[in-house]
Amino acid sequence: MITSRLRPHLDKLLLFAIFAVLSASTIAWSLRDRTPPPWDPSDHLRYAYDYYRLLAHADFAGFAREFFSAHHYYAPFIHLFSAIVFLLFGASRLTGIGVNLLSLAAMLWAVTSISRQLYAPAPSESPDGKQATPVALGVLPALI
């Protein structure tokens, strides 16, 4: 009885379980690891902190200069999102972990939605008439 009620939500439960495992490992590793972050994560943190510092001091001219003139290797969305989270909750190690977990959730949801659109059979092609969801494809970006 309980399995028949959970079966339609199995994909969401599996996706949540994957998120929970990856989140727990991220939290444990981030709190335990005391070495400086490697190149890409440190760049992301530095860019986010640069935006946060300028916004926190209401230096909008400096922010515009940083945003439009400074050379960055990455698109600014995640850095701006991180800076806004830093403004709301303060810049700390835990806030950085929280931003990473929000980004992980968004990535898993987006990739699962894309894989559902690309690879799930049409309802008319599946045996029970429902659309199957290949949740396993949502895990690949996190594992890579």
Side-chain angles (χ1 to χ4, degrees):
M1 178 171 148
I2 198 162
T3 57
S4 63
R5 288 190 348 193
L6 289 179
R7 189 168 307 273
H9 305 289
L10 186 62
D11 59 338
K12 294 175 189 83
L13 292 172
L14 182 59
L15 191 61
F16 178 76
I18 291 165
F19 175 74
V21 167
L22 291 174
S23 296
S25 67
T26 297
I27 291 169
W29 182 262
S30 297
L31 293 177
R32 188 169 189 187
D33 185 24
R34 299 286 184 210
T35 60
W39 183 267
D40 282 349
S42 62
D43 271 353
H44 291 302
L45 289 172
R46 183 173 54 93
Y47 294 152
Y49 189 77
D50 287 345
Y51 290 145
Y52 158 73
R53 183 181 40 83
L54 294 168
L55 290 172
H57 291 95
D59 184 5
F60 299 115
F63 174 78
R65 195 170 38 257
E66 177 75 23
F67 187 78
F68 292 110
S69 299
H71 178 68
H72 296 288
Y73 293 106
Y74 304 101
F77 177 75
I78 190 64
H79 306 133
L80 290 172
F81 177 72
S82 300
I84 291 169
V85 172
F86 289 165
L87 283 171
L88 294 174
F89 300 107
S92 70
R93 180 179 227 166
L94 292 178
T95 309
I97 292 171
V99 168
N100 282 338
L101 295 181
L102 289 172
S103 300
L104 175 66
M107 180 192 67
L108 287 174
W109 175 79
V111 172
T112 302
S113 296
I114 291 169
S115 65
R116 181 180 297 132
Q117 294 295 320
L118 291 175
Y119 299 111
S124 60
E125 296 173 7
S126 63
D128 58 358
K130 295 182 180 177
Q131 191 171 11
T133 306
V135 174
L137 292 176
V139 183
L140 293 177
L143 294 178
I144 292 173

